[in-house]
Amino acid sequence: MNMTMIERAAKAVFDVDHPEAEEEEWENATAWYCTRARAAIEAIREPTPSMVGAATGVPIQSNVVSETYVLDDEATAIWQAMITAALEENGE
């Protein structure tokens, strides 16, 4: 089974908190850490202005136009769609 983005974030924090932990300890703590990872991911749904700025103007390829650029609203929508997808993953 693949780990979801929430599980990956939770495991990363668990590993920082418990660098010497056994797999069984992670299995027992997964729900607790996933709850907190979900909250953190939900908190970053709205990108900061610098995040939008980093994506704005990035060239993208399109079938309609040979080259176009990401706009502010598009960057925000893309980021939010990715966060929503991460929150809806089921790990299958």
Side-chain angles (χ1 to χ4, degrees), residues 33-60:
Y33 279 91
C34 282
T35 298
R36 281 137 188 87
R38 173 176 286 282
I41 291 171
E42 288 173 348
I44 63 170
R45 184 183 298 274
E46 189 66 33
T48 64
S50 63
M51 292 169 68
V52 173
T56 301
V58 171
I60 57 173

